[in-house]
Amino acid sequence: MSIWFHQRQGLRDHFIRFIEGSGEPYSFYVREMQNLGYVWGKHYLPHDADRRFPGAETNPTICDMLHGLGLRDTEIVARTADLTAGIQELRDDFGSYWFDETNCAEGLRHLGLYRKEWNDRLGCWREKPREDGHQHAADALRQKAQGYSASSARGFRRKRRYRSAMAA
């Protein structure tokens, strides 16, 4: 789980904090977020936050669970059909990003270690990035670039959305 905290100020996107963890329930992250004392706007969730997992008596989505924990103003960012295009959108958007070096240090470390995997057999880079734990911070940051762009002092507007080629 990787979470970037973002503020839009003029033409700049300020990332003021980064938190991450693994194996903790959603209540842990909501508590951590509430303890920061920030005033919240919208919470942007990845494409799979509306997925239902069959097998239980009730089948809440991640979004449902977060709403139950008090995280109400949520929006799900659509899945991109082309990861490489999503990464390029992040590169294109990155020029307006400003990071709090102290509060985002771990997230920035992950971004610096995010890379593609080398294919020894073919002697070239694989299309997908390496899955070594560093991809989570990059994927979380990519959600901002893929889903939203600044449109006015009032907030965000939707960018062009890509439909997934995968069946749900």
Side-chain angles (χ1 to χ4, degrees):
M1 174 79 69
S2 294
I3 304 169
W4 290 96
F5 295 84
H6 170 264
Q7 294 176 321
R8 180 72 182 182
Q9 294 182 348
L11 298 176
R12 296 181 182 156
D13 293 294
H14 290 254
F15 291 88
I16 59 173
R17 187 172 294 271
F18 173 82
I19 62 172
E20 67 176 339
S22 179
E24 299 290 345
Y26 294 119
S27 59
F28 169 82
Y29 298 102
V30 171
R31 236 183 350 268
E32 289 291 307
M33 292 167 61
Q34 290 169 338
N35 288 338
L36 294 172
Y38 295 151
V39 175
W40 301 112
K42 191 170 288 288
H43 302 281
Y44 298 98
L45 306 175
H47 69 276
D48 58 353
D50 63 353
R51 180 175 174 215
R52 295 194 185 278
F53 297 91
E57 196 167 308
T58 62
N59 296 356
T61 65
I62 292 169
C63 198
D64 294 336
M65 289 185 262
L66 291 172
H67 285 186
L69 293 167
L71 218 61
R72 300 267 182 219
D73 194 6
T74 60
E75 185 165 325
I76 296 172
V77 177
R79 181 183 188 130
T80 183
D82 183 354
L83 179 61
T84 303
I87 292 169
Q88 187 58 49
E89 284 186 81
L90 176 56
R91 286 179 179 139
D92 294 344
D93 208 36
F94 204 81
S96 70
Y97 293 6
W98 290 58
F99 294 90
D100 179 311
E101 290 182 33
T102 302
N103 291 323
C104 296
E106 191 63 21
L108 292 169
R109 186 181 77 77
H110 288 305
L111 294 179
L113 294 170
Y114 181 62
R115 57 188 31 91
K116 289 186 175 182
E117 186 87 39
W118 181 256
N119 185 330
D120 286 327
R121 189 173 61 82
L122 297 176
C124 64
W125 296 105
R126 297 180 194 274
E127 283 298 311
K128 290 189 174 185
R130 180 184 301 177
E131 293 187 10
D132 56 3
H134 300 296
Q135 77 276 11
H136 302 301
D139 289 346
L141 189 61
R142 186 169 38 84
Q143 298 302 298
K144 190 273 179 199
Q146 281 178 198
Y148 302 92
S149 67
S151 64
S152 70
R154 293 181 357 162
F156 294 94
R157 69 161 188 233
R158 293 178 191 265
K159 286 170 77 175
R160 168 183 60 176
R161 295 205 181 235
Y162 296 99
R163 293 275 183 217
S164 172
M166 299 180 73

